[in-house]
Amino acid sequence: MSSTLPLPFFGGTCTKAAFSFSLKSSSPLVPFQRLQLFRSTSRTTTRIRSSLFHSLKAKATAELVQDKESGVVATGKPVVEHSRTFIEARSEQELLSGLRKEVDAGRLPPNVAAGMEEVYQNYRNAVFQSGDPAAVGVVLSNMTVAFDHWLLDVEDPFVFEPYHKALREPFDYYMFGENYIRPLIDFRNSYVGNLSLFYEIEEKLKQGHNVVLISNHQTEADPIIISLLLEKTNPHIAENMIFVAGDRVITDPLCKPFSMGRNLLCVYSKKHMYDIPELAEMKRKANTRSLKEMALLLRGGSKIVWIAASGGRDRPDPFTEEWYPALFDSSSVDNMRRLIEHSGTPGHVYPLALLCYDIMPPPRQKKKLEKKELSPFMGLDYQ
């Protein structure tokens, strides 16, 4: 394995007038992405983020692990007849009234419906404030599809395998995520720094080499944001990157359809291994299977893997309000090094710096999930 670049020290500052980012590294060539968001993505819209339903997480996690243990793999296709309430909506009024209809019919839990409506209102406000003249149609189109697939997963929950390949047909979940996040980004003022390194990475992938991106992590939309900023220059990387994902993005009802469009290696965070003690052993076994899957993938070569080595999202300094990467977990970095070294295939490690927090800022507080916790809108983070 060759370490193409040493892990850098990152420094970042953020102001409301114009987001700025300064990068300090032992090498000036570090791939990074700076994202300028529309004013819509200020802190008033933090609940666009997908982690709205912590009250469902304990049950969903238990079911997920049990399904994995029994070898059950969901196909993503509904077993029961799927309601067309949302997909047939032609106006905001029809879409939102559909929530009440589905709750009354017993097909949608009231707390899920409440979360869906809140996401709708925040997303609507965000896109409208972007100034896009087509905002009305964009919101209705994207939220109609989102509502429909959130309901679909309630009707027939999708279960992720340890290694999940992006579902591109019959429904293209990858493009669903791209189209949903795209209106929130001001592309004219966003950029990818040191773009030449991504071309270098593409060449290494063509030669059969593996590449690992050791990255900071800022929002739950990071994988989609990365793809959007690379879709024109490096579409192969954008579509084939494999993301090491925590359990929230594969159990949260509002997050799952977006995760279904990404290539994922699903793991359980060490930080939260014992949040629900009776599930700890099952989580460890699931992580062992995921590591085996990663080892097999790397042996095949030509893989690019993204990992947030801190195990969670960045937070601003509580006094200065400056954003900086969370401390990396040295064991996570070392695990990736060993996996690459034992793959039998040339491998390279690149540091990747992201500045995109404002699209879905994480809550300031962190709190471990309690088994009996029920409030879906506590504004707390579990990563």
Side-chain angles (χ1 to χ4, degrees):
M1 180 191 78
S2 68
S3 178
T4 307
L5 290 171
L7 290 176
F9 168 79
F10 302 94
T13 60
C14 173
T15 63
K16 297 306 287 185
F19 306 122
S20 61
F21 186 65
S22 61
L23 188 68
K24 299 177 183 178
S25 172
S26 53
S27 167
L29 295 179
V30 177
F32 69 97
Q33 301 182 337
R34 178 183 184 277
L35 191 69
Q36 178 72 39
L37 290 310
F38 290 114
R39 277 286 165 241
S40 56
T41 55
S42 66
R43 297 194 188 283
T44 60
T45 60
T46 58
R47 285 182 178 170
I48 295 176
R49 63 188 179 88
S50 61
S51 55
L52 288 171
F53 295 107
H54 302 306
S55 61
L56 301 179
K57 186 180 178 184
K59 178 176 182 292
T61 301
E63 291 175 346
L64 171 67
V65 176
Q66 288 167 4
D67 283 341
K68 284 186 174 181
E69 288 295 315
S70 63
V72 176
V73 177
T75 63
K77 297 293 289 182
V79 176
V80 297
E81 184 177 354
H82 176 51
S83 170
R84 297 185 58 83
T85 296
F86 298 124
I87 205 66
E88 292 178 349
R90 294 296 178 263
S91 68
E92 177 183 284
Q93 182 179 0
E94 289 183 12
L95 190 62
L96 296 181
S97 64
L99 289 172
R100 293 185 289 274
K101 176 182 176 182
E102 293 303 312
V103 170
D104 291 343
R107 289 188 289 263
L108 192 62
N111 62 336
V112 175
M116 289 167 64
E117 182 167 2
E118 183 166 6
V119 172
Y120 175 86
Q121 297 296 345
N122 285 323
Y123 186 77
R124 176 184 181 276
N125 293 340
V127 177
F128 276 24
Q129 291 176 44
S130 71
D132 184 351
V136 173
V138 168
V139 170
L140 183 61
S141 174
N142 286 344
M143 292 308 300
T144 294
V145 177
F147 274 31
D148 185 61
H149 283 81
W150 287 330
L151 175 62
L152 177 61
D153 194 70
V154 170
E155 293 172 338
D156 183 40
F158 183 85
V159 178
F160 289 81
E161 298 181 63
Y163 170 51
H164 169 78
K165 294 192 68 174
L167 299 180
R168 303 298 303 265
E169 56 183 24
F171 177 79
D172 194 336
Y173 284 90
Y174 175 86
M175 287 310 302
F176 161 64
E178 302 284 286
N179 292 336
Y180 186 91
I181 297 298
R182 192 187 308 274
L184 303 178
I185 299 176
D186 182 353
F187 287 95
R188 291 173 298 179
N189 294 303
S190 302
Y191 64 87
V192 179
N194 298 316
L195 185 60
S196 62
L197 289 179
F198 287 101
Y199 292 115
E200 178 183 304
I201 288 171
E202 279 202 335
E203 288 303 312
K204 294 184 185 302
L205 294 173
K206 290 177 182 177
Q207 295 167 17
H209 296 194
N210 292 314
V211 172
V212 173
L213 299 177
I214 304 290
S215 177
N216 66 318
H217 179 28
Q218 296 216 318
T219 83
E220 291 172 340
D222 283 356
I224 299 176
I225 291 168
I226 291 171
S227 296
L228 284 169
L229 291 183
L230 292 176
E231 65 178 352
K232 291 184 178 179
T233 58
N234 305 90
H236 177 79
I237 293 178
E239 297 188 31
N240 290 281
M241 192 175 295
I242 301 169
F243 297 89
V244 179
D247 59 298
R248 177 196 298 160
V249 299
I250 61 173
T251 57
D252 187 311
L254 297 189
C255 199
K256 288 172 67 177
F258 298 97
S259 300
M260 290 162 68
R262 305 290 130 180
N263 302 306
L264 302 178
L265 280 162
C266 307
V267 299
Y268 292 91
S269 170
K270 290 192 301 181
K271 294 180 180 179
H272 307 293
M273 187 66 67
Y274 295 95
D275 285 359
I276 305 175
E278 55 267 38
L279 296 181
E281 182 61 27
M282 289 186 287
K283 288 181 179 181
R284 281 196 294 268
K285 290 180 179 179
N287 281 356
T288 298
R289 288 194 296 275
S290 294
L291 284 174
K292 289 180 179 178
E293 288 286 349
M294 187 183 296
L296 288 172
L297 288 169
L298 294 175
R299 286 175 196 167
S302 298
K303 300 297 186 298
I304 178 167
V305 179
W306 179 95
I307 181 170
S310 68
R313 290 172 289 176
D314 302 338
R315 295 300 195 285
D317 183 281
F319 301 105
T320 66
E321 295 295 313
E322 291 186 355
W323 285 79
Y324 56 90
L327 293 176
F328 285 3
D329 180 350
S330 59
S331 65
S332 295
V333 177
D334 199 48
N335 282 338
M336 294 305 304
R337 177 187 61 80
R338 289 199 301 268
L339 283 167
I340 293 176
E341 286 181 345
H342 291 92
S343 69
T345 303
H348 311 270
V349 174
Y350 289 79
L352 175 67
L354 297 175
L355 181 66
C356 55
Y357 69 90
D358 210 41
I359 192 169
M360 293 180 184
R364 298 304 179 96
Q365 287 181 283
K366 295 183 181 181
K367 182 177 182 294
K368 288 186 177 180
L369 178 68
E370 300 295 337
K371 187 174 181 181
K372 295 182 179 180
E373 194 166 274
L374 297 177
S375 174
F377 302 118
M378 296 182 67
L380 299 170
D381 182 39
Y382 301 98
Q383 282 196 41

